[in-house]
Amino acid sequence: MYAQLVETGSTRLRKLDELSGDERRFQERIDAGIKIEPKDWMPEGYRKTLIRQISQHAHSEIVGQLPEGNWITRAPTLKRKAILLAKVQDEAGHGLYLYSAAETLGVSRDQMIDDLHSGKAKYSSIFNYPTLSWADIGAIGWLVDGSAIVNQIPLCRCSYGPYARAMVRVCKEESFHQRQGFDIMMALCRGTPEQKAMAQDALNRWWWPCLMMFGPSDAESVNSAQSAQWGIKLFSNDELRQKMVDQTVPQAEYLGLTIPDPDLKWNEEKGHYDYGAIEWAEFYNVVKGNGPCNRDRLKARVDAHENGAWFRDALLAYADKQAQRSTAAAA
Amino acid sequence: MKKEWPLWEVFIRSQHGLAHKHVGSLHASDAEMAINHARDVYTRRNEGVSIWVVRSADVVASSPDEKAPLFEPANSKVYRHPTFFPMPEEIKHI
Amino acid sequence: MSNDTVQYLLRLGDNALILSHRLSEWCGKGPALEEDMALANTALDLLGQARLWLSYAGELEDAGRDEDALAYRRNDRQFCNLLLVERPNGSYADTMVRQFFFDAWHHLALQGLCRSADERIAGIAAKAIKEVEYHLRRSSDLVVRLGDGTAQSQKMMQRAVDELWTYTGEMFESDGVDEQAVVAGIGFDPVALREPWLSYVREVLSEATLRIPPADAFMQKGGKQGRHTEALSYLLGEMQYLQRAYPGAQW
């Protein structure tokens, strides 16, 4: 999802009776549904994993501003422009809430940003795909934000207090994001044949990357099992992906669009849709930096940060001068 | 110069006259900017009518190690709660 | 309703629309997350104002043009915003100085419009002035901080002030449309805003340790009459692309 392939440092999952002392009390609290707060004792692995997961999530929000921001200046009506601007601004806010949550674990925002810029920290693969038409803005809201909600609602119950609280705020604000995307798609699908074709083309390009976004199957993954035990991952990648497919297919039918998967079909027995094989080679390529937009996205972020350095420094310098002036005046 | 804006905790009072509530944090170069940023970040949906900001470094918190001596003694003072006193059904307004 | 009133409203709407568009170009690329969000708030306020002014202009014109027809299907010669607001973003210093010059004027202009004999104009102005009060406080504040910040920030701010100064004179030029608005009691006299604007700007720049350029410097003009800088048609080319490429489509 927004945090993919998060490393926990665990090689083997230990059961409660194998733990002792602080570690055991910690696990018992999590099992009892008691939130862990910043000053509480926590295993180093939990702290580091959370920093990786939350900062990846934050980076995804910030980098995620770019593909949609790409169309703010070309939005087709003033109303759409206002909605899109507000939405992309919300994403900056979500990044900010999440960076703050990670900061409670003893890492600074600057450190996290440096890690993003150096390529050490990742962000979601989905934002390395280009937005080539206005319909992509609809498709992102509908599919990507739709997937995000599937993932984020359970995280509101995760074990780390500041992360859970940030997610509550994010989910509350995000509720309009998916709807605005679907609304764009509805307008296109009810529009001219050219508009409908634009919508179909967007769905064709975004469908598979969206399924990939949940990450490869983690049924066998020690990292996922560890994260689940720590209460910071509440559903498996496959479960979340299935949920997204199940909720999206009827929506696509309503729009009169075809999901680009010939193997997609309802499985009466399972009560779910079956879908075709995902090309994981593409996913790993994008994660490695070979997506269509990896370089552009990272460069845009690095440029913004570097070009803004004088601004951030100037405000600090002014604050320092003011503090000195008021000390001098008081003396 | 490679220095980060300090971190601030933000408290907002909603329109309903309740107490200021912690809503999150942000970075700002000084107190005045922190108020401005809090307005721009945390009140975009009509959330509040008053803002407090406090430097995160200035917040003094109780220690989790002291949870037992600090908070458990209150558990045994059940008589501080109205439900401790059963009232006869026919008695109203009490 | 007179053509002049429509024109008058278009000027107000175009100022807000074009400046909002410029600010929206920063979205996701600002110098700090908090600042990015603050600037987007200003952009959203201005966009909201633009929609109100343009919608009213469309109603008065009574030719079936709504806010979108006016925003997306007029050519650059038909846009009548001030040259200042169409100037490219440049560095964040340029963006802030442009904003400050405009906010200081905008606030005075809206004070005048709040007293408009046209209730609709007065109503829009009353809503907008609350937003613009914050814009002005914010941009003044940042001009002071950045001017009196580091040696580098001061240099960048001074350069921005010197560069953009030539586009400020137009804000205080009156033409037939303005005169008509004053006569009808619906608008303000731009000439009268010059002194209060200068005195406010002088005060803020001085606190910011920035030199104010001479008041009698050469001033560019023509925006209000539809003669723009080269920057505008590129902006419109981008903004109007979808409406131009798919005429008549609903979005």
Side-chain angles (χ1 to χ4, degrees), chain A residues 23-329:
Chain A
E23 221 171 335
R24 186 185 174 111
R25 278 191 293 277
F26 172 83
Q27 189 60 48
E28 280 168 349
R29 289 184 65 187
I30 289 186
D31 294 346
I34 300 171
K35 294 263 182 280
I36 305 301
E37 295 297 337
K39 295 183 92 187
D40 292 338
W41 185 90
M42 60 185 81
E44 197 48 22
Y46 176 83
R47 197 181 68 83
K48 283 195 172 144
T49 304
L50 267 178
I51 290 177
R52 271 193 286 269
Q53 178 171 337
I54 301 174
S55 67
Q56 225 187 86
H57 197 155
H59 297 328
S60 298
E61 298 281 356
I62 299 306
V63 177
Q65 288 187 277
L66 299 169
E68 288 179 284
N70 187 32
W71 281 85
I72 292 173
T73 54
R74 289 177 290 172
T77 69
L78 297 182
K79 188 173 102 186
R80 293 281 183 210
K81 190 185 175 99
I83 295 169
L84 184 59
L85 180 55
K87 175 185 190 270
V88 178
Q89 182 203 36
D90 274 351
E91 278 150 18
H94 299 168
L96 194 156
Y97 308 154
L98 287 159
Y99 282 130
S100 302
E103 282 172 277
T104 62
L105 293 157
V107 60
S108 72
R109 191 196 285 177
D110 268 1
Q111 266 168 276
M112 290 185 270
I113 288 176
D114 284 348
D115 286 348
L116 170 69
H117 293 176
S118 71
K120 190 177 152 206
K122 301 282 178 224
Y123 56 88
S124 178
S125 55
I126 194 76
F127 301 119
N128 289 315
Y129 290 88
T131 50
L132 301 178
S133 80
W134 172 250
D136 290 28
I137 301 308
I140 289 183
W142 173 35
L143 302 172
V144 179
D145 289 302
S147 302
I149 291 170
V150 166
N151 178 54
Q152 288 174 170
I153 287 179
L155 282 175
C156 295
R157 293 184 282 116
C158 77
S159 65
Y160 188 57
Y163 191 22
R165 290 191 284 273
M167 291 322 301
V168 168
R169 201 171 179 91
V170 168
C171 286
K172 210 158 81 185
E173 294 187 356
E174 197 142 280
S175 51
F176 94 87
H177 291 184
Q178 187 187 14
R179 285 183 180 203
Q180 68 85 33
F182 195 74
D183 193 61
I184 290 175
M185 296 306 271
M186 278 199 298
L188 294 174
C189 291
R190 286 172 187 162
T192 65
E194 271 173 310
Q195 284 176 300
K196 179 128 192 208
M198 199 187 273
Q200 182 64 55
D201 174 57
L203 176 59
N204 292 349
R205 282 181 291 107
W206 287 94
W207 176 255
W208 290 106
C210 273
L211 294 199
M212 288 173 203
M213 178 174 59
F214 290 90
S217 176
D218 55 357
E220 307 295 321
S221 156
V222 179
N223 285 324
S224 297
Q226 179 66 75
S227 291
Q229 191 181 53
W230 280 337
I232 53 179
K233 182 175 173 70
L234 296 116
F235 291 97
S236 75
N237 293 348
D238 288 330
E239 283 171 311
L240 293 170
R241 183 168 23 243
Q242 185 68 56
K243 195 162 181 216
M244 184 270 189
V245 172
D246 289 348
Q247 77 179 28
T248 308
V249 174
Q251 294 164 355
E253 281 166 4
Y254 176 87
L255 291 171
L257 296 176
T258 308
I259 289 179
D261 178 359
D263 298 325
L264 185 84
K265 90 175 179 292
W266 177 250
N267 184 324
E268 192 64 54
E269 202 180 309
K270 290 195 219 155
H272 291 295
Y273 282 94
D274 290 331
Y275 50 87
I278 295 170
E279 277 198 48
W280 290 109
E282 176 180 323
F283 172 78
Y284 286 112
N285 245 319
V286 175
V287 170
K288 260 190 289 182
N290 297 323
C293 300
N294 293 60
R295 285 179 173 78
D296 292 347
R297 298 287 185 251
L298 208 54
K299 183 177 184 307
R301 286 311 314 158
V302 171
D303 286 351
H305 193 68
E306 287 178 357
N307 294 337
W310 72 270
F311 175 91
R312 298 188 302 275
D313 289 348
L315 293 198
L316 268 186
Y318 177 84
D320 288 347
K321 279 193 228 177
Q322 282 297 90
Q324 279 165 19
R325 281 170 200 150
S326 68
T327 321

Side-chain angles (χ1 to χ4, degrees), chain C residues 167-212:
Chain C
Y167 298 105
T168 58
E170 188 189 15
M171 300 193 285
F172 314 107
E173 293 273 335
S174 182
D175 68 359
V177 173
D178 290 305
E179 282 157 21
Q180 188 54 44
V182 172
V183 169
I186 62 163
F188 59 90
D189 173 14
V191 180
L193 304 190
R194 186 163 181 268
E195 274 317 309
W197 185 87
L198 268 176
S199 111
Y200 181 78
V201 166
R202 198 174 289 128
E203 189 186 321
V204 173
L205 290 184
S206 136
E207 198 189 336
T209 69
L210 296 170
R211 266 180 290 105
I212 187 165

Side-chain angles (χ1 to χ4, degrees), chain B residues 63-93:
Chain B
S63 154
D65 299 338
E66 288 180 287
K67 210 171 273 178
L70 285 180
F71 307 115
E72 278 174 24
N75 280 340
S76 57
K77 317 285 193 294
V78 282
Y79 46 79
R80 284 186 183 274
H81 300 276
T83 47
F84 180 74
F85 306 92
M87 287 288 126
E89 280 251 341
E90 54 271 36
I91 299 298
K92 306 290 180 205
H93 310 296

Side-chain angles (χ1 to χ4, degrees), chain A residues 62 73-78 80-82 88-89 93 109 195 198 301 308 310 312 314-315 318 321 325, chain C residues 21 27-28 31 33-34 37 41 44 68 72 93 145 148-149 152-153 156 238-239 242-243 246 250-251:
Chain A
I62 299 306
T73 54
R74 289 177 290 172
T77 69
L78 297 182
R80 293 281 183 210
K81 190 185 175 99
V88 178
Q89 182 203 36
R109 191 196 285 177
Q195 284 176 300
M198 199 187 273
R301 286 311 314 158
W310 72 270
R312 298 188 302 275
L315 293 198
Y318 177 84
K321 279 193 228 177
R325 281 170 200 150
Chain C
H21 185 98
C27 186
L33 262 182
E34 287 81 358
M37 296 184 68
N41 278 340
L44 282 167
D68 289 325
Y72 291 95
R145 284 158 193 271
D148 191 16
Q152 184 192 11
S153 72
M156 288 174 78
E238 188 173 340
M239 182 173 92
L242 280 170
Q243 290 267 1
Y246 303 92
Q250 297 297 310
W251 302 91

Side-chain angles (χ1 to χ4, degrees), chain C residues 58-124:
Chain C
E59 283 170 42
L60 286 187
E61 184 191 47
D62 200 20
R65 294 202 287 183
D66 61 7
E67 58 179 38
D68 289 325
L70 289 169
Y72 291 95
R73 292 200 289 278
R74 277 181 300 150
N75 294 330
D76 44 355
R77 290 301 306 274
Q78 292 156 338
F79 268 77
C80 42
N81 55 279
L82 297 163
L83 299 177
L84 177 68
V85 298
E86 74 198 35
R87 297 307 297 151
N89 283 341
S91 75
Y92 212 74
D94 299 314
T95 294
M96 271 304 125
V97 170
R98 181 185 65 198
Q99 191 67 35
F100 169 63
F101 285 162
F102 179 74
D103 290 343
W105 174 85
H106 200 197
H107 191 246
L108 293 168
L110 288 170
Q111 279 176 345
L113 293 171
C114 282
R115 296 188 293 267
S116 174
D118 181 313
E119 275 179 27
R120 186 81 174 270
I121 292 180
I124 298 173

Side-chain angles (χ1 to χ4, degrees), chain C residues 4 28 42 54 66 95 111-112 136 138 201 211 214-215 222 233 235 248:
Chain C
D4 279 348
T42 304
L54 293 180
D66 61 7
T95 294
Q111 279 176 345
L136 178 61
R138 207 183 91 81
V201 166
R211 266 180 290 105
S233 58
L235 183 156

